Amino acid sequence: MRKLFLFGSSLLPALMASHAAFADHGGDIDTFCTNGTVDLTIELGDGVPLPKQYTNGSGSEATITGTMNDNALFGPAHEVTQVTLGAHTGTILSEAPVVPTSSITPLGSAHVVVDFTSSDTGSTVLATCDYNLTIAPPAEVADLVQIPVRWCAVEGSAQAEDKEPGELVDGDKLIALLARVGDEITLPGMHVVFRPASAPGGIPVIADPSPNNDQLGDLAISFLGLGEAGTAMALCEQAWDEHYPGQRGTIMVNGRQLLAAGVLGGVAPAAPVGLWVASSQQGSGQRGDDLCGHPRQLTAGDVTPMLRLAAYDQALFGGTSG
């Protein structure tokens, strides 16, 4: 299988690591990509091609920068590549650079454009990579399922980065955690990955439901319910509706610690009682094998209330850096 899993890797390729240099005696700073819009389909784990050759015919050092447009596959506009050339020089890279995709890059299609400008010529567009891009699952995991996730960080947790409730934080470490879980567990074992829902401004920071109990950011779990964690899940969904209306996905809350009889790793709502195996629990056994049979016989009402969970901040235990 190709190297699918590039989480944590920068989208700024080390362009100068291996190249052939040549002298350029013209006057232009230049590169070239596509001639008009090109239809391009790649598999998840492959990359979006960028130019291989760059020239600087000016009399001073110049930096050429490629900036990708805002799009549904790669998010808000951002720099994806940069190369610096001395006066009257050029470079031909030994391998064409790419904008990489990873297991948490969304599948689907979008108009993806990378415009190239230089420090010498300002906002003038020197060249453009213009793609009607489709990202498809690799043949090895053609049945891949991506589940969008809406993260929130509780104030006081390391991932909230000292932000106040109502503010946004980049959430990079939580997104990297999703990728690691997919790469190591859910993708090879289940052909499922959890990917972040679109949050161009960052993920919400939410209030600690009971800031005067325990340490700020801790979520207490009640014996027969979700306790503070359940309240935090509801606050998270509300925050997403306020900041990013229309975005859908499983709610995931990052608390400092989850406290019950001891420290829990995570907590999620239980399945509806009617789906339980028949037992002394009132209401159980009403749905036969709807949950565990094949095919499952589940409704949106069965599943939607369960699309929430809370987990402790792994920075406390070495899972992420603070």
Side-chain angles (χ1 to χ4, degrees), residues 20-191:
F22 60 88
D24 183 276
H25 302 289
D28 293 334
I29 301 172
D30 202 9
T31 187
F32 178 79
C33 194
T34 64
N35 185 11
T37 304
V38 173
D39 293 332
L40 176 66
T41 297
I42 63 174
E43 292 187 351
L44 201 64
D46 292 335
V48 181
L50 297 174
K52 187 175 181 178
Q53 180 171 333
Y54 301 82
T55 60
N56 176 16
S58 74
S60 60
E61 181 181 87
T63 298
I64 300 174
T65 300
T67 302
M68 181 178 284
N69 69 324
D70 178 272
N71 64 81
L73 299 177
F74 294 95
H78 59 285
E79 291 183 7
V80 294
T81 191
Q82 194 171 79
V83 58
T84 298
L85 299 170
H88 303 298
T89 63
T91 185
I92 301 174
L93 305 176
S94 58
E95 295 183 5
V98 298
V99 179
T101 62
S102 73
S103 58
I104 60 173
T105 305
L107 301 173
S109 300
H111 186 207
V112 174
V113 176
V114 180
D115 286 328
F116 289 84
T117 58
S118 80
S119 56
D120 189 70
T121 54
S123 61
T124 301
V125 176
L126 307 175
T128 297
C129 297
D130 190 332
Y131 301 111
N132 283 326
L133 179 67
T134 296
I135 301 179
E140 301 94 328
V141 286
D143 57 346
L144 176 66
V145 174
Q146 289 186 326
I147 299 174
V149 166
R150 295 178 289 171
W151 270 116
C152 290
V154 179
E155 61 173 329
S157 67
Q159 307 315 316
E161 299 180 3
D162 297 321
K163 297 290 183 69
E164 298 293 327
E167 295 185 296
L168 300 172
V169 67
D170 60 36
D172 287 349
K173 295 181 180 68
L174 295 176
I175 292 169
L177 178 62
L178 286 182
R180 192 168 80 235
V181 169
D183 297 346
E184 297 177 3
I185 302 172
T186 62
L187 180 56
M190 303 162 55
H191 292 187

Side-chain angles (χ1 to χ4, degrees), residues 126-296:
L126 307 175
T128 297
C129 297
D130 190 332
Y131 301 111
N132 283 326
L133 179 67
T134 296
I135 301 179
E140 301 94 328
V141 286
D143 57 346
L144 176 66
V145 174
Q146 289 186 326
I147 299 174
V149 166
R150 295 178 289 171
W151 270 116
C152 290
V154 179
E155 61 173 329
S157 67
Q159 307 315 316
E161 299 180 3
D162 297 321
K163 297 290 183 69
E164 298 293 327
E167 295 185 296
L168 300 172
V169 67
D170 60 36
D172 287 349
K173 295 181 180 68
L174 295 176
I175 292 169
L177 178 62
L178 286 182
R180 192 168 80 235
V181 169
D183 297 346
E184 297 177 3
I185 302 172
T186 62
L187 180 56
M190 303 162 55
H191 292 187
V192 171
V193 293
F194 296 91
R195 64 165 179 80
S198 178
I203 66 171
V205 175
I206 60 173
D208 182 333
S210 301
N212 296 322
N213 294 340
D214 305 305
Q215 187 165 331
L216 187 67
D218 288 349
L219 300 176
I221 312 301
S222 62
F223 177 64
L224 293 176
L226 298 175
E228 286 183 73
T231 304
M233 293 173 193
L235 290 174
C236 182
E237 185 146 25
Q238 180 181 337
W240 271 85
D241 288 342
E242 292 172 356
H243 288 286
Y244 306 111
Q247 282 293 322
R248 296 291 178 261
T250 297
I251 290 293
M252 290 191 179
V253 174
N254 179 87
R256 181 181 173 276
Q257 291 191 94
L258 305 184
L259 305 177
V263 177
L264 298 177
V267 63
V273 175
L275 292 169
W276 294 13
V277 173
S279 67
S280 59
Q281 177 67 41
Q282 184 177 1
S284 64
Q286 297 180 2
R287 300 275 298 277
D289 63 350
D290 282 3
L291 176 61
C292 298
H294 181 76
R296 294 184 179 91

